Amino acid sequence: MMLLYDLGIRLYGIGARILAYGQPKARQFVRGRRDWRAQLRKQVDPEHSWVWFHCASLGEFEQGRALIEAWRAQYPEDRILLTFFSPSGYEIRKDYAGADCICYLPLDLRRNAAFFLDRVQPRAAFFIKYELWLNYLTALRARRVPTFLVSAILQPESRFFRSGLKRQYTAAFRGFDWIFTQDAATADLLRQKAGVTRVSVSGDTRFDRAAQLPDKFQPVPGIDEFIAGRRCIVAGSPWPPDEDILLPAIAQLRNPELCWIIAPHEIHPERIDRHLASANGKMVKYSVRESISRETDVLWIDNVGMLSRLYHYSEVVYIGGGLGAGIHNTQEPAVYGNPVIFGPKYDRFREAVDLIESGGAISVTTVAELVHALQHWLDDADTLAQTRARNKAYILAQAGATAQVLTQVEKLI
């Protein structure tokens, strides 16, 4: 089966190169891996002690960030290598100051894994959430590198338990020196389906990162001037399907006491410009915020890196992604107390389920449902205040996963 796996990886690489001719993301995926050996030789000095953290994309990075920074603080002599599989992670975090080397993960071929690990010689490796690259994991075991899976969360129908590579994946789970899961259900699943014994429930490390945000908050230039005393709603990481219900809702709820900030998941200037062209001056891009007038009530964020700070300014938040593959981060807005609204694809995220059950979040699919959800909080000051206090308390109560991970890892390495 591993021969088929290797063939699949090769075909994936060929497919990416073909798609690179017409798709920007595929082009970034391919270009970012060119000359990766030379890049590794230049940036990684094997004379130093290296610790490797791998994240699939941006969401996994945010999941592992608290652990990376805690490791840096506790072991300042170690160098940090951070790898990404997806351009949406690498391109946004390639300048992250918390790592000494940031690069794309080379395709999971045996010779790539051998060169990569021979060069880095990590003293420990951390995979975030559910990244299982079989050749890398095999090579790590062969070199007896302590390897950990952090903030794992799995469903019974996961491909790891259903595909033709089920035996290889379950063996890979057993090969980790320790697996830290977000919940008891995942730990039980790993025990029952994969025979894993080195596993414990630590919680979600994203809560640790989120819990720090209010104390580390720094104002975003121009936002107070835009809000100008109005009530503010932030839309975080919406995709086009989210915009399709968000913009009509804005039109229905428009009034002089309310303003909106929209920070798209992917910034497409031409799409934003089309929205602005039909808005009659009511919408402005952040990059040209000097053109804001008294009529402007929607600010489009056309850069990256400030979304978590924008939640400080909002009373209610809409989170994108739930009308597609799955919602984005709800912990960052909730730690500021924000009630959260999102689409129906949220069941893979424990915190979203918890917020729904506690009344701190509402799932919507239509414009009418979104308008009703917003009014539920905007029109009732007592309900809003109670929800904000409850949401913030929930996030803070969940913190502590990073400390649990570090304590267990110290015992093993």
Side-chain angles (χ1 to χ4, degrees), residues 19-152:
L19 290 173
Y21 289 100
Q23 292 187 7
K25 267 194 172 181
R27 189 157 42 253
Q28 290 174 329
F29 180 94
V30 172
R31 287 179 177 175
R33 287 170 167 81
R34 286 179 183 167
D35 299 323
W36 65 266
R37 289 179 176 81
Q39 180 186 0
L40 217 56
R41 290 190 187 98
K42 180 179 180 181
Q43 297 190 37
V44 174
D45 182 351
E47 295 301 315
H48 292 290
S49 172
W50 287 87
V51 176
W52 174 27
F53 293 85
H54 176 66
C55 307
S57 191
L58 184 60
E60 288 75 18
F61 167 76
E62 295 300 336
Q63 201 127 34
R65 183 171 180 171
L67 179 59
I68 294 171
E69 293 174 359
W71 191 278
R72 171 77 87 187
Q74 191 153 330
Y75 301 103
E77 70 279 6
D78 284 337
R79 301 292 176 93
I80 302 295
L81 169 65
L82 173 62
T83 59
F84 289 96
F85 181 76
S86 166
S88 59
Y90 174 80
E91 296 299 331
I92 293 176
R93 294 302 181 192
K94 60 187 176 184
D95 296 319
Y96 170 59
D100 299 285
C101 176
I102 304 173
C103 62
Y104 281 99
L105 182 71
L107 288 178
D108 187 26
L109 300 172
R110 298 178 197 188
R111 66 172 183 237
N112 289 354
F115 182 94
F116 184 92
L117 293 175
D118 286 346
R119 182 66 188 182
V120 178
Q121 299 181 32
R123 79 179 187 98
F126 295 86
F127 289 72
I128 308 300
K129 201 169 184 179
Y130 40 51
E131 280 280 278
L132 265 65
W133 295 112
L134 298 176
N135 286 318
Y136 280 101
L137 291 172
T138 298
L140 285 164
R141 285 197 300 274
R143 289 162 173 76
R144 297 184 179 180
V145 177
T147 305
F148 306 93
L149 183 61
V150 179
S151 287

Side-chain angles (χ1 to χ4, degrees), residues 217-273:
F217 171 75
Q218 295 181 341
V220 180
I223 298 300
D224 280 321
E225 292 79 2
F226 164 70
I227 294 174
R230 295 174 292 186
R231 307 179 77 180
C232 179
I233 297 171
V234 170
S237 297
W239 291 80
D242 298 296
E243 294 172 12
D244 289 343
I245 67 169
L246 182 63
L247 295 178
I250 291 174
Q252 289 189 35
L253 293 172
R254 182 164 266 139
N255 72 72
E257 304 302 319
L258 190 62
C259 65
W260 307 73
I261 297 175
I262 304 175
H265 180 69
E266 293 184 342
I267 297 171
H268 298 290
E270 66 284 354
R271 182 177 176 83
I272 297 176
D273 288 341

